[in-house]
Amino acid sequence: PRRILDMSYSRHFLDFQGSSIPTSMRKLVVTKLSPNFREAVTLLRDSPVPIPGDGDLLVRNRFVGINASDINYSAGRYDPSAKPPFGAGLEGIGDVVALGLSASAEYSVGQAVAYVKPGAFAEYIVVPAKDAVPVPAVKPEFLTLMVSGTTAYISLKELGGLSEGKKVLVTAAAGGTGQFAVQLAKKAKCHVIGTCSSDEKGAFLKSIGCDHTINYKTENVESVLKKSYPKGVDVVYESVGGKMFDLAVNSLATKGRMIVIGFITGYQNPSGLQPVKAELLPAKLLMKSASIRGFFMNHYLSEYKMALKDLLKMCEKGELVCEVDLGDTSPEGRFTGLESVFRAVDYMYMGKNIGKIVVELPHSVNSKL
């Protein structure tokens, strides 16, 4: 039988690799509401390591995920009542280093877990056992599925109406969630078109099955779509906003549908929005019997566990490419340590990433990987 470790109330203890867990840690905290991440967030170097309660796990983070919505969170857009200071970051993966008595019924010290929880940009975090996701190993690939993979999976399943032969346009297709929209649409036997900003991204998209890539820096997306798909596209998976949104509306086929999962081009603006040509929208939708649906994960949490389970299975079997960008090609190199989260957010907004941006939090004890 496994030893039950009740570490809920100890102030100082050893982790599963025999090193002492410190009493203080570093974490990123939103100290001012602003869509400018560097302005909004402060690195605290001496924050107390939290203590897990009865049903909790204490997780030592090894990798944290960067999301476009990190700056919506730091701007206070998701919860207008939020008052700084509060922890930044939304997802991480790491090792359980301590846990409460109830939590030890299902989890053990040394186990690999991933989670989605505000305050993830920290060296240690307390995660309720019921919200943790056991993963086979602490690999950043599994982290790509927590927000980015599930967003694509659930939105396409619930709102996409995918079927064989449908033409699916994915904007920002080489990004964290775009990569999954491409692959899942291909699994549904659709014809997939992906927009991207470089030939390198185009090559990546082709490698994961994208049928037609459009480099919007060197090609006119609207004229390429008109020429190649004169009857329009059936489904658009849209995360860019602004001019790309307008272009996508114009490219919808009769009975076409657009899924809006975000509008990254607007997030850095004070309003969080980029203007769109909405005056003609009712007429355009009416003339095509087309529809636009918004997708916000919090409204689909009932589907989350099932979606994640399916994605993890596909990932483990090698049926899904979970591309991770650790910043190795960025000017200052790999994203390592909490201080590099600022660089990683900048890198995302410069549109440089291929796949999901992940920051590594190294630990002095030899890792199990």
Side-chain angles (χ1 to χ4, degrees):
R2 184 159 45 71
R3 250 176 346 126
I4 290 178
L5 297 176
D6 180 11
M7 292 183 165
S8 325
Y9 309 106
S10 78
R11 293 249 160 214
H12 191 86
F13 36 76
L14 297 180
D15 76 10
F16 69 100
Q17 290 169 330
S19 66
S20 76
I21 292 173
T23 51
S24 65
M25 65 171 186
R26 303 192 318 157
K27 69 186 282 193
L28 292 181
V29 174
V30 177
T31 49
K32 175 189 174 185
L33 296 182
S34 168
N36 179 329
F37 192 80
R38 286 179 181 271
E39 200 178 84
V41 176
T42 304
L43 174 61
L44 298 187
R45 297 176 186 276
D46 202 19
S47 189
V49 170
I51 296 165
D54 180 57
D56 297 332
L57 312 173
L58 179 65
V59 177
R60 188 183 70 220
N61 281 326
R62 295 267 298 287
F63 297 96
V64 291
I66 305 293
N67 293 286
S69 49
D70 284 327
I71 72 171
N72 287 331
Y73 189 65
S74 70
R77 288 176 185 145
Y78 290 149
D79 180 6
S81 67
K83 299 277 185 287
F86 54 86
L90 298 170
E91 59 179 339
I93 186 169
D95 310 294
V96 175
V97 290
L99 68 172
L101 188 59
S102 298
S104 66
E106 284 182 60
Y107 288 91
S108 56
V109 164
Q111 195 164 350
V113 293
Y115 61 88
V116 177
K117 183 177 188 273
F121 293 157
E123 289 174 333
Y124 293 86
I125 186 169
V126 165
V127 179
K130 64 180 175 52
D131 299 333
V133 177
V135 286
V138 183
K139 289 185 177 172
E141 286 76 11
F142 296 124
L143 188 53
T144 67
L145 305 174
M146 299 300 293
V147 172
S148 302
T150 51
T151 295
Y153 186 105
I154 299 169
S155 64
L156 287 172
K157 179 175 177 281
E158 297 293 316
L159 309 175
L162 300 186
S163 58
E164 188 171 351
K166 287 213 167 163
K167 294 174 185 69
V168 179
L169 171 65
V170 180
T171 62
T177 187
Q179 63 170 332
F180 294 111
V182 167
Q183 294 177 81
L184 294 169
K186 282 306 293 176
K187 282 184 183 299
K189 298 181 176 171
C190 297
H191 175 91
V192 182
I193 309 121
T195 69
C196 61
S197 60
S198 71
D199 291 343
E200 190 190 356
K201 290 184 179 187
F204 164 68
L205 288 173
K206 289 208 167 83
S207 77
I208 60 171
C210 195
D211 298 287
H212 188 164
T213 63
I214 307 172
N215 180 344
Y216 64 81
K217 291 278 175 77
T218 58
E219 299 174 85
N220 181 310
V221 181
E222 192 148 22
S223 55
V224 171
L225 288 171
K226 269 184 187 159
K227 187 180 173 187
S228 303
Y229 308 97
K231 290 188 175 176
V233 295
D234 303 298
V235 180
V236 182
Y237 183 85
E238 217 298 272
S239 61
V240 176
K243 288 176 182 170
M244 188 64 83
F245 173 89
D246 293 330
L247 184 158
V249 169
N250 294 339
S251 303
L252 282 171
T254 301
K255 296 184 183 175
R257 52 180 77 190
M258 187 194 297
I259 305 167
V260 175
I261 63 124
F263 30 91
I264 189 170
T265 50
Y267 294 167
Q268 289 171 304
N269 297 344
S271 69
L273 297 167
Q274 188 83 320
V276 295
K277 293 176 182 168
E279 303 91 343
L280 297 173
L281 195 56
K284 285 178 179 178
L285 296 178
L286 177 69
M287 296 301 284
K288 293 177 176 179
S289 293
S291 63
I292 298 176
R293 298 285 299 271
F295 177 84
F296 187 48
M297 178 65 84
N298 289 10
H299 301 144
Y300 288 87
L301 292 179
S302 58
E303 307 294 315
Y304 183 82
K305 282 194 170 166
M306 177 277 299
L308 189 57
K309 191 177 172 185
D310 204 8
L311 286 165
L312 279 165
K313 207 181 294 175
M314 283 191 262
C315 183
E316 280 188 85
K317 285 183 181 170
E319 295 170 2
L320 200 61
V321 173
C322 304
E323 189 69 17
V324 172
D325 192 331
L326 281 154
D328 292 308
T329 60
S330 70
E332 293 170 58
R334 195 179 180 93
F335 302 132
T336 306
L338 283 174
E339 61 279 6
S340 70
V341 166
F342 298 97
R343 274 202 303 125
V345 170
D346 290 343
Y347 182 75
M348 167 174 277
Y349 278 90
M350 288 188 285
K352 299 292 188 189
N353 58 299
I354 295 181
K356 172 88 179 181
I357 302 176
V358 173
V359 173
E360 184 175 10
L361 304 186
H363 188 64
S364 53
V365 175
N366 290 334
S367 78
K368 297 196 295 181
L369 280 180

